[in-house]
Amino acid sequence: FPEKHIHVTCAIIERQGLILAAQRSAVMSMPLKGEFPGGKIRPGETPEACLSREIIEELGVEIAIGKALQPATHAYPALTVTLYLFHCQRGSATQ
């Protein structure tokens, strides 16, 4: 495994049978690949807190975080990524 290991969250947001995904920019690592919204977990941050923060930063909306899926780890040539996936819905948890 590569030495660098990052932990990332992502939201699987479903609405009317569709799942929200985005395309990475041509200048990013892994250019033009599809991805779910989310981001890197900061030190001391829970995956759920990270996901809420990232969705507000990226999409400007609040989400209700639901069921967690099994984390997945993948080793790329330059780094290892552990992905924490959650089923989510748009709206706050208090709605």
Side-chain angles (χ1 to χ4, degrees):
F1 283 100
E3 287 188 32
K4 185 174 181 180
H5 190 156
I6 61 171
H7 296 267
V8 178
T9 61
C10 75
I12 300 171
I13 303 171
E14 184 180 353
R15 183 174 173 190
Q16 298 178 349
L18 300 173
I19 296 176
L20 177 65
Q23 184 178 44
R24 294 177 66 82
S25 162
V27 297
M28 296 174 81
S29 63
M30 293 186 274
L32 306 177
K33 300 282 185 184
E35 67 179 357
F36 296 116
K40 294 178 191 169
I41 300 173
R42 294 177 178 167
E45 189 175 46
T46 66
E48 295 85 352
C50 170
L51 191 55
S52 291
R53 174 183 55 76
E54 287 283 351
I55 297 302
I56 290 170
E57 288 175 5
E58 292 179 9
L59 304 176
V61 298
E62 291 186 6
I63 56 168
I65 298 173
K67 181 181 176 185
L69 301 176
Q70 182 70 34
T73 299
H74 182 76
Y76 295 95
L79 77 155
T80 298
V81 176
T82 297
L83 186 61
Y84 301 86
L85 303 102
F86 294 88
H87 281 284
C88 301
Q89 293 182 352
R90 187 168 173 192
S92 68
T94 58
Q95 290 181 329

